[in-house]
mmCIF file with all atom_site columns, all heavy atoms in Angstrom:
data_model
loop_
_atom_site.group_PDB
_atom_site.id
_atom_site.type_symbol
_atom_site.label_atom_id
_atom_site.label_alt_id
_atom_site.label_comp_id
_atom_site.label_asym_id
_atom_site.label_entity_id
_atom_site.label_seq_id
_atom_site.pdbx_PDB_ins_code
_atom_site.Cartn_x
_atom_site.Cartn_y
_atom_site.Cartn_z
_atom_site.occupancy
_atom_site.B_iso_or_equiv
_atom_site.pdbx_formal_charge
_atom_site.auth_seq_id
_atom_site.auth_comp_id
_atom_site.auth_asym_id
_atom_site.auth_atom_id
_atom_site.pdbx_PDB_model_num
ATOM 1  N N   . TYR I 1 87 ? 21.438 -33.849 8.652  1.00 91.00 ? 148 TYR I N   1
ATOM 2  C CA  . TYR I 1 87 ? 22.102 -34.839 9.516  1.00 91.00 ? 148 TYR I CA  1
ATOM 3  C C   . TYR I 1 87 ? 21.654 -34.763 10.967 1.00 91.00 ? 148 TYR I C   1
ATOM 4  O O   . TYR I 1 87 ? 21.945 -35.639 11.755 1.00 91.00 ? 148 TYR I O   1
ATOM 5  C CB  . TYR I 1 87 ? 23.627 -34.692 9.406  1.00 91.00 ? 148 TYR I CB  1
ATOM 6  C CG  . TYR I 1 87 ? 24.117 -35.054 8.025  1.00 91.00 ? 148 TYR I CG  1
ATOM 7  C CD1 . TYR I 1 87 ? 24.436 -34.078 7.094  1.00 91.00 ? 148 TYR I CD1 1
ATOM 8  C CD2 . TYR I 1 87 ? 24.207 -36.393 7.652  1.00 91.00 ? 148 TYR I CD2 1
ATOM 9  C CE1 . TYR I 1 87 ? 24.856 -34.424 5.819  1.00 91.00 ? 148 TYR I CE1 1
ATOM 10 C CE2 . TYR I 1 87 ? 24.622 -36.748 6.371  1.00 91.00 ? 148 TYR I CE2 1
ATOM 11 C CZ  . TYR I 1 87 ? 24.939 -35.759 5.466  1.00 91.00 ? 148 TYR I CZ  1
ATOM 12 O OH  . TYR I 1 87 ? 25.332 -36.107 4.209  1.00 91.00 ? 148 TYR I OH  1
ATOM 13 N N   . ALA I 1 88 ? 20.932 -33.675 11.303 1.00 91.00 ? 149 ALA I N   1
ATOM 14 C CA  . ALA I 1 88 ? 20.494 -33.505 12.687 1.00 91.00 ? 149 ALA I CA  1
ATOM 15 C C   . ALA I 1 88 ? 19.069 -33.977 12.903 1.00 91.00 ? 149 ALA I C   1
ATOM 16 O O   . ALA I 1 88 ? 18.529 -33.845 13.984 1.00 91.00 ? 149 ALA I O   1
ATOM 17 C CB  . ALA I 1 88 ? 20.609 -32.032 13.069 1.00 91.00 ? 149 ALA I CB  1
ATOM 18 N N   . GLN I 1 89 ? 18.454 -34.539 11.849 1.00 93.00 ? 150 GLN I N   1
ATOM 19 C CA  . GLN I 1 89 ? 17.026 -34.835 11.919 1.00 93.00 ? 150 GLN I CA  1
ATOM 20 C C   . GLN I 1 89 ? 16.703 -36.249 12.406 1.00 93.00 ? 150 GLN I C   1
ATOM 21 O O   . GLN I 1 89 ? 15.546 -36.565 12.639 1.00 93.00 ? 150 GLN I O   1
ATOM 22 C CB  . GLN I 1 89 ? 16.377 -34.639 10.536 1.00 93.00 ? 150 GLN I CB  1
ATOM 23 C CG  . GLN I 1 89 ? 16.599 -33.264 9.942  1.00 93.00 ? 150 GLN I CG  1
ATOM 24 C CD  . GLN I 1 89 ? 15.947 -32.153 10.757 1.00 93.00 ? 150 GLN I CD  1
ATOM 25 O OE1 . GLN I 1 89 ? 14.752 -32.173 11.010 1.00 93.00 ? 150 GLN I OE1 1
ATOM 26 N NE2 . GLN I 1 89 ? 16.754 -31.204 11.194 1.00 93.00 ? 150 GLN I NE2 1
ATOM 27 N N   . PHE I 1 90 ? 17.716 -37.101 12.505 1.00 91.00 ? 151 PHE I N   1
ATOM 28 C CA  . PHE I 1 90 ? 17.407 -38.516 12.776 1.00 91.00 ? 151 PHE I CA  1
ATOM 29 C C   . PHE I 1 90 ? 17.938 -39.007 14.121 1.00 91.00 ? 151 PHE I C   1
ATOM 30 O O   . PHE I 1 90 ? 18.114 -40.180 14.327 1.00 91.00 ? 151 PHE I O   1
ATOM 31 C CB  . PHE I 1 90 ? 17.949 -39.401 11.644 1.00 91.00 ? 151 PHE I CB  1
ATOM 32 C CG  . PHE I 1 90 ? 17.398 -39.046 10.289 1.00 91.00 ? 151 PHE I CG  1
ATOM 33 C CD1 . PHE I 1 90 ? 18.052 -38.152 9.465  1.00 91.00 ? 151 PHE I CD1 1
ATOM 34 C CD2 . PHE I 1 90 ? 16.201 -39.616 9.854  1.00 91.00 ? 151 PHE I CD2 1
ATOM 35 C CE1 . PHE I 1 90 ? 17.542 -37.830 8.220  1.00 91.00 ? 151 PHE I CE1 1
ATOM 36 C CE2 . PHE I 1 90 ? 15.688 -39.284 8.602  1.00 91.00 ? 151 PHE I CE2 1
ATOM 37 C CZ  . PHE I 1 90 ? 16.346 -38.388 7.789  1.00 91.00 ? 151 PHE I CZ  1
ATOM 38 N N   . GLY I 1 91 ? 18.222 -38.106 15.026 1.00 84.00 ? 152 GLY I N   1
ATOM 39 C CA  . GLY I 1 91 ? 18.751 -38.538 16.323 1.00 84.00 ? 152 GLY I CA  1
ATOM 40 C C   . GLY I 1 91 ? 20.261 -38.471 16.348 1.00 84.00 ? 152 GLY I C   1
ATOM 41 O O   . GLY I 1 91 ? 20.919 -38.451 15.300 1.00 84.00 ? 152 GLY I O   1
ATOM 42 N N   . ALA I 1 92 ? 20.802 -38.464 17.561 1.00 81.00 ? 153 ALA I N   1
ATOM 43 C CA  . ALA I 1 92 ? 22.232 -38.234 17.733 1.00 81.00 ? 153 ALA I CA  1
ATOM 44 C C   . ALA I 1 92 ? 23.067 -39.462 17.385 1.00 81.00 ? 153 ALA I C   1
ATOM 45 O O   . ALA I 1 92 ? 24.233 -39.358 17.040 1.00 81.00 ? 153 ALA I O   1
ATOM 46 C CB  . ALA I 1 92 ? 22.517 -37.791 19.158 1.00 81.00 ? 153 ALA I CB  1
ATOM 47 N N   . SER I 1 93 ? 22.444 -40.655 17.472 1.00 81.00 ? 154 SER I N   1
ATOM 48 C CA  . SER I 1 93 ? 23.270 -41.847 17.306 1.00 81.00 ? 154 SER I CA  1
ATOM 49 C C   . SER I 1 93 ? 23.297 -42.355 15.857 1.00 81.00 ? 154 SER I C   1
ATOM 50 O O   . SER I 1 93 ? 24.063 -43.247 15.523 1.00 81.00 ? 154 SER I O   1
ATOM 51 C CB  . SER I 1 93 ? 22.757 -42.951 18.242 1.00 81.00 ? 154 SER I CB  1
ATOM 52 O OG  . SER I 1 93 ? 21.411 -43.230 17.903 1.00 81.00 ? 154 SER I OG  1
ATOM 53 N N   . VAL I 1 94 ? 22.446 -41.799 15.012 1.00 85.00 ? 155 VAL I N   1
ATOM 54 C CA  . VAL I 1 94 ? 22.410 -42.257 13.616 1.00 85.00 ? 155 VAL I CA  1
ATOM 55 C C   . VAL I 1 94 ? 23.666 -41.802 12.887 1.00 85.00 ? 155 VAL I C   1
ATOM 56 O O   . VAL I 1 94 ? 24.070 -40.647 12.970 1.00 85.00 ? 155 VAL I O   1
ATOM 57 C CB  . VAL I 1 94 ? 21.147 -41.727 12.900 1.00 85.00 ? 155 VAL I CB  1
ATOM 58 C CG1 . VAL I 1 94 ? 21.215 -42.000 11.414 1.00 85.00 ? 155 VAL I CG1 1
ATOM 59 C CG2 . VAL I 1 94 ? 19.905 -42.362 13.497 1.00 85.00 ? 155 VAL I CG2 1
ATOM 60 N N   . GLN I 1 95 ? 24.286 -42.737 12.194 1.00 84.00 ? 156 GLN I N   1
ATOM 61 C CA  . GLN I 1 95 ? 25.522 -42.395 11.499 1.00 84.00 ? 156 GLN I CA  1
ATOM 62 C C   . GLN I 1 95 ? 25.235 -41.620 10.224 1.00 84.00 ? 156 GLN I C   1
ATOM 63 O O   . GLN I 1 95 ? 24.329 -41.983 9.467  1.00 84.00 ? 156 GLN I O   1
ATOM 64 C CB  . GLN I 1 95 ? 26.268 -43.674 11.114 1.00 84.00 ? 156 GLN I CB  1
ATOM 65 C CG  . GLN I 1 95 ? 26.689 -44.498 12.293 1.00 84.00 ? 156 GLN I CG  1
ATOM 66 C CD  . GLN I 1 95 ? 27.488 -45.686 11.818 1.00 84.00 ? 156 GLN I CD  1
ATOM 67 O OE1 . GLN I 1 95 ? 28.516 -45.514 11.168 1.00 84.00 ? 156 GLN I OE1 1
ATOM 68 N NE2 . GLN I 1 95 ? 27.004 -46.867 12.120 1.00 84.00 ? 156 GLN I NE2 1
#
Side-chain angles (χ1 to χ4, degrees):
Chain I
Y148 294 101
Q150 304 296 304
F151 302 92
S154 60
V155 171
Q156 298 184 59

